[in-house]
Amino acid sequence: MAYLIRNVIDGYHDLMDNKSDPRVNDWFLMSSPFPTLCMCLSYAYIVKVLGPKLMENRKPFDLKYILIFYNLVQVIFSLYLFHESAVAGWLNHYSFKCQPVDYSRNPLAMRMAQGCWWYFISKFAEFFDTFFFVLRKKNDHISTLHVIHHGVMPMSVWFGVKFTPGGHSTFFGFLNTFVHIIMYTYYLVAALGPQYQKYLWWKKYLTTIQMIQFVLVMVHAFQLLFIDCNYPKAFVWLIGLHAVMFYFLFSKFYKKTYVKREKKVKVEKEQNEVKPKSNNIGICFTTQTALYEKTNDVKDMSEGYTSDGNRLRNRVFIDNPRA
């Protein structure tokens, strides 16, 4: 057992020290995966357990101006990351078919590596999306999809920066930062107030864009399983399977939020538009019928009775002045 543990420890140090990219080893949070892992686990505990418990007997915070500032910063940050990934590779000299990692200290290679590290940092900044939900007591927004998406990403991106800060898998970050420009613009407009809700009709399409993103990442990643490319297959599977997982999670959210809701609204609308074939509403007491309808179909009751307190009297006799 001790021998096995020693082999695991030696293998871990060999992986971290000899198989990783030496350019990033001294960068913040890149020497070990454990600080990132601890922050991801802490995030999940805070947003699912500690935060809601602390807010249980408190009023929700009004964070309007903080949210406006935060979302504006996220839009600008996403624009910067998209620009860096485009200039350093994807809209410059990168191949969409096969792009190995350039581990040199070439200025463009270093620019892409630094862009990857900033993208990694951005995943921690996105924790505040959920923290704001907690402070505003929007616990119904803290879904399994939301927590998994935000909690898993920093750890996944850490491995990418540590071993492959550039090349084929950065296509995911290239697309993701573009989607985040759109997403945080939506959140920014939403944070401005109810008077701007009329400009947010495209919320449904935002989820669709996110799903298209994951399909493109899947196709782009898994193509390397069928062609020869000097790129680690482990990261092909890592990125590809992440895209598959997030696609199905977002697809489930889409169906639950939009498809089922639209069907429900359609059914309710159809039910409201259906008119009764008969004018007989089905009310038990004939004197109430006239309150709801005017019709000649209501017939006199031949055997109707009422009470004046002491005795039963024939309803036909009372209601018929000719009697």
Side-chain angles (χ1 to χ4, degrees):
M1 186 65 181
Y3 176 76
L4 179 61
I5 294 174
R6 172 53 58 185
N7 279 343
V8 170
I9 293 174
D10 290 343
Y12 168 79
H13 285 295
D14 178 60
L15 182 68
M16 293 296 145
D17 298 334
N18 302 321
K19 303 281 194 308
S20 63
D21 187 344
R23 297 176 301 171
V24 307
N25 284 341
D26 296 331
W27 294 1
F28 181 61
L29 293 176
M30 296 313 302
S31 61
S32 169
F34 295 112
T36 298
L37 178 61
C38 288
M39 283 189 278
C40 290
L41 294 175
S42 298
Y43 158 80
Y45 176 73
I46 290 170
V47 301
K48 294 298 289 185
V49 181
L50 182 61
K53 186 176 181 180
L54 291 175
M55 290 298 298
E56 186 176 7
N57 298 316
R58 290 179 169 86
K59 292 182 179 180
F61 288 90
D62 181 11
L63 304 175
K64 177 179 178 179
Y65 296 106
I66 293 176
L67 288 172
I68 292 172
F69 175 76
Y70 168 76
N71 288 306
L72 178 61
V73 169
Q74 285 286 39
V75 170
I76 295 170
F77 196 11
S78 297
L79 280 167
Y80 165 75
L81 293 173
F82 179 75
H83 175 266
E84 288 301 289
S85 62
V87 173
W90 288 108
L91 295 183
N92 190 346
H93 64 283
Y94 267 28
S95 167
F96 287 93
K97 185 177 181 180
C98 169
Q99 183 58 53
V101 183
D102 183 355
Y103 290 104
S104 73
R105 295 190 177 272
N106 175 283
L108 281 180
M110 290 301 299
R111 189 171 181 176
M112 179 61 82
Q114 290 167 355
C116 290
W117 182 82
W118 278 112
Y119 179 71
F120 164 68
I121 295 299
S122 75
K123 298 298 114 181
F124 293 111
E126 290 168 18
F127 282 177
F128 284 94
D129 289 7
T130 325
F131 294 155
F132 292 143
F133 284 149
V134 173
L135 292 173
R136 296 169 66 205
K137 300 186 77 168
K138 302 282 187 179
N139 294 335
D140 56 322
H141 288 41
I142 309 174
S143 62
T144 301
L145 166 64
H146 186 92
V147 176
I148 291 176
H149 180 62
H150 286 282
V152 169
M153 283 302 294
M155 199 69 252
S156 302
V157 178
W158 184 90
F159 284 100
V161 180
K162 182 70 172 178
F163 297 96
T164 57
H168 202 78
S169 293
T170 58
F171 180 74
F172 180 90
F174 173 65
L175 278 184
N176 191 234
T177 51
F178 176 75
V179 171
H180 279 196
I181 294 170
I182 302 172
M183 183 181 76
Y184 283 109
T185 298
Y186 173 90
Y187 292 152
L188 175 61
V189 176
L192 292 174
Q195 64 271 30
Y196 293 92
Q197 293 297 315
K198 59 185 177 181
Y199 302 112
L200 300 177
W201 52 267
W202 46 279
K203 179 182 180 181
K204 173 181 177 180
Y205 302 102
L206 178 58
T207 306
T208 303
I209 292 170
Q210 290 172 313
M211 292 166 62
I212 293 172
Q213 164 197 208
F214 296 126
V215 172
L216 291 175
V217 171
M218 277 188 273
V219 173
H220 183 261
F222 287 141
Q223 68 174 321
L224 295 193
L225 299 177
F226 306 99
I227 63 176
D228 187 22
C229 182
N230 184 24
Y231 191 84
K233 289 293 191 293
F235 283 93
V236 172
W237 285 106
L238 177 66
I239 297 296
L241 291 178
H242 266 75
V244 171
M245 178 182 71
F246 286 132
Y247 173 81
F248 282 107
L249 286 172
F250 273 80
S251 177
K252 182 179 179 181
F253 169 80
Y254 183 89
K255 291 176 182 177
K256 180 180 178 181
T257 305
Y258 301 110
V259 177
K260 290 184 179 180
R261 181 181 297 173
E262 287 178 357
K263 287 182 178 179
K264 183 178 179 181
V265 170
K266 184 178 179 181
V267 169
E268 290 176 349
K269 184 178 179 181
E270 289 176 351
Q271 289 175 344
N272 291 332
E273 290 176 351
V274 172
K275 297 181 179 180
K277 295 181 180 179
S278 172
N279 288 325
N280 187 358
I281 299 182
I283 297 176
C284 297
F285 302 101
T286 55
T287 54
Q288 291 177 324
T289 306
L291 298 175
Y292 296 91
E293 61 184 353
K294 292 182 180 180
T295 177
N296 295 323
D297 295 338
V298 179
K299 298 180 180 180
D300 292 338
M301 289 181 61
S302 59
E303 296 294 337
Y305 295 88
T306 185
S307 171
D308 62 2
N310 297 317
R311 55 180 177 163
L312 287 175
R313 302 182 66 190
N314 190 286
R315 170 74 64 150
V316 175
F317 177 79
I318 296 172
D319 294 340
N320 188 350
R322 295 173 297 177

